[in-house]
Amino acid sequence: MLSMDSKNHWRSRQVLSWALYDWANSAFATTVMAGFFPLFFKQYWAADLDTGNSTFLLGSFNAFASLVVVLLAPLLGAIADRGNARKRFLRYFAMMGVVMTGALYLVAAGGWMMALMLYAMAVIGFSCSNIFYDALLPEVARESELDLVSSIGFGLGYLGGGILFAFNVWMTLDPAFFGLADAAEAVKSSFLMVAIWWALFTIPVLLFVPESPATGGSGWLESVRAGVGQLRATFSKLKLLRQTGLFLAAYWLYIDGVDTIIRMAVDYGLSLGFDSNGLIVALLITQFVGFPAAILFGKLGERFGPRQGIFVAIGIYLVIILWAYQMDQVWEFYLLAVAVGLVQGGIQALSRSFYVRLIPRDKPAEFFGFYNMLGKFAAVLGPLMMGMVSLLTGSPRLSMLSVAVLFVAGALLLKQVDEVAGRAQARLLEE
């Protein structure tokens, strides 16, 4: 028999192993998605294109990647739950992201189409792997621990992503110290380092995090057939889960604003004429502020409830957008980076833990498929909306201001969600 101390030690190792996947893939989210890719795309791969066209292309390929996730996510989640294959699918999509990210190292100057294709495939791998990572949260956390454990994951993600990003920035500032020819080679080497980091820190979640027994057969064909059938059943169940549906609609809107700011912030700063080095410093500020802030939001969720914490974050995001619309100094971008760091991890972590409370406990991957589907469908609209407004008006400021509509609409829907009723509805549908 395990002693109580050894049981707690084992659970702590499971929580840490689970959270380390956030540490692993946040290197991609930070160094590639938010940092170097949009910057390097404009200045190296698409240097011959004008600003409006390059912004439109980047937004369009972000939208394409998100649309693929929209189409795949619900079915993948249903298959994984029926086939007890959450970790298997996590491994597959994580390795897809790793390989495509590493391949960016090979793309030469002017190769904007190849760069966008590899980037889109890496984003698909990143996004789909998160479906199965999120679905493992109930395996490592009791209900009373959901807010804090979810926040620990995002907190470690900010810290890990920030550490590697800071090292990558150092490489670009002093490439000769690392035996590199120039800053361009340093950036390309950073993509390779992200791939290695992502692969290495994926190992603990695959080895030490448990997975509930399958509710269907273990064969792949049988799992697919069962998954398709289960997906049909889930659509029917969602009609009965009114509060869950309301939350998903709210999440669909406000998380679009969050993802759009993450993906398009550097592009926006460049469009305003800010120096690229200053924008990279701002991203680093966001990462290191985000680590303690995500943990703090977890405590806030424990004390006042996750919905109240989400409302606080939405309010701060609206202030950020209004400030960004009128700013003209790079020091303002730094202050906004601090503000984003305070709420970015918190709103993501509390949304995840709030959603866990509103779904049947026996089908987490399937319902997180819908969760990620709506989140990524929102991300189809956000970057595309910014790109189109920029292309049509020639004003990056108006494109940023348009994002506020999504936060306001999301908050209005979230206000209608009744958590107590949502929990009761979800428990009734458990098998």
Side-chain angles (χ1 to χ4, degrees):
M1 292 289 291
L2 289 172
S3 69
M4 184 59 67
D5 287 344
S6 61
K7 285 182 179 178
N8 289 337
H9 173 74
W10 178 248
R11 287 194 68 254
S12 297
R13 183 164 76 166
Q14 290 175 350
V15 169
L16 179 60
S17 298
W18 176 82
L20 278 175
Y21 187 69
D22 241 316
W23 173 287
N25 73 358
S26 289
F28 174 79
T30 305
T31 295
V32 182
M33 287 177 65
F36 286 162
F37 186 86
L39 189 64
F40 206 56
F41 177 72
K42 276 185 176 292
Q43 298 182 346
Y44 185 77
W45 287 315
D48 294 336
L49 302 178
D50 62 55
T51 298
N53 282 333
S54 62
T55 296
F56 176 72
L57 284 168
L58 181 60
S60 297
F61 271 77
N62 268 315
F64 166 76
S66 297
L67 183 60
V68 172
V69 177
V70 166
L71 298 175
L72 289 179
L75 180 59
L76 289 176
I79 292 171
D81 274 334
R82 297 293 296 187
N84 193 31
R86 276 164 268 168
K87 293 202 298 186
R88 195 185 317 170
F89 275 86
L90 190 157
R91 180 178 67 243
Y92 172 78
F93 283 107
M95 290 306 101
M96 173 181 165
V98 165
V99 171
M100 297 302 161
T101 301
L104 288 171
Y105 175 80
L106 303 174
V107 182
W112 57 267
M113 179 56 75
M114 179 60 69
L116 284 172
M117 290 174 64
L118 291 173
Y119 172 70
M121 293 297 289
V123 170
I124 291 167
F126 169 81
S127 301
C128 287
S129 70
N130 278 333
I131 296 169
F132 307 104
Y133 168 63
D134 289 344
L136 290 169
L137 173 59
E139 304 285 358
V140 299
R142 303 183 183 99
E143 186 164 328
S144 62
E145 303 167 333
L146 288 171
D147 298 320
L148 183 58
V149 172
S150 182
S151 297
I152 287 172
F154 276 104
L156 282 180
Y158 279 107
L159 182 61
I163 288 171
L164 184 61
F165 189 36
F167 186 79
N168 293 152
V169 170
W170 181 19
M171 288 170 56
T172 65
L173 295 177
D174 192 4
F177 180 82
F178 295 93
L180 301 169
D182 51 28
E185 187 177 352
V187 171
K188 293 173 74 173
S189 298
S190 296
F191 295 144
L192 196 57
M193 288 184 67
V194 167
I196 295 169
W197 177 284
W198 189 352
L200 180 64
F201 289 106
T202 298
I203 295 173
V205 70
L206 300 177
L207 291 181
F208 300 118
V209 172
E211 187 171 16
S212 297
T215 57
S218 58
W220 279 94
L221 184 58
E222 186 178 351
S223 296
V224 171
R225 286 173 177 168
V228 171
Q230 188 59 55
L231 185 59
R232 294 194 190 104
T234 302
F235 272 113
S236 298
K237 287 180 179 180
L238 278 173
K239 296 177 183 177
L240 303 176
L241 296 173
R242 182 175 181 276
Q243 301 305 318
T244 307
L246 272 176
F247 172 76
L248 285 173
Y251 175 78
W252 173 38
L253 292 165
Y254 70 71
I255 209 65
D256 171 79
V258 175
D259 286 346
T260 300
I261 289 173
I262 292 171
R263 297 188 186 197
M264 304 299 286
V266 167
D267 183 88
Y268 179 67
L270 288 173
S271 298
L272 295 183
F274 294 161
D275 179 70
S276 60
N277 288 336
L279 300 178
I280 295 300
V281 171
L283 285 177
L284 283 172
I285 292 171
T286 297
Q287 290 303 119
F288 289 108
V289 171
F291 168 58
I295 305 298
L296 181 62
F297 262 86
K299 293 291 187 181
L300 183 67
E302 281 189 328
R303 181 164 185 179
F304 299 106
R307 190 171 69 155
Q308 296 305 315
I310 295 170
F311 278 131
V312 170
I314 288 175
I316 295 174
Y317 266 114
L318 288 172
V319 173
I320 289 169
I321 290 170
L322 291 174
W323 193 352
Y325 170 72
Q326 56 78 44
M327 72 176 177
D328 54 16
Q329 300 292 328
V330 73
W331 65 264
E332 295 178 278
F333 201 91
Y334 294 154
L335 288 182
L336 289 178
V338 173
V340 170
L342 288 173
V343 293
Q344 184 172 287
I347 197 170
Q348 292 169 320
L350 293 182
S351 296
R352 179 167 62 186
S353 60
F354 190 39
Y355 184 64
V356 169
R357 293 170 165 87
L358 301 176
I359 62 175
R361 289 171 291 192
D362 55 344
K363 295 178 179 64
E366 180 181 334
F367 276 86
F368 268 107
F370 282 94
Y371 179 81
N372 283 276
M373 177 192 75
L374 289 177
K376 297 310 171 187
F377 183 66
V380 171
L381 301 176
L384 191 59
M385 180 173 65
M386 280 194 69
M388 287 300 296
V389 171
S390 177
L391 193 64
L392 293 173
T393 68
S395 171
R397 295 181 186 276
L398 287 176
S399 69
M400 176 58 69
L401 190 61
S402 66
V403 178
V405 175
L406 301 168
F407 284 107
V408 172
L412 291 174
L413 281 179
L414 183 62
K415 188 177 180 181
Q416 307 303 315
V417 177
D418 184 331
E419 181 181 346
V420 175
R423 289 191 190 199
Q425 291 168 0
R427 299 297 86 85
L428 286 174
L429 292 179
E430 291 175 5
E431 294 179 354

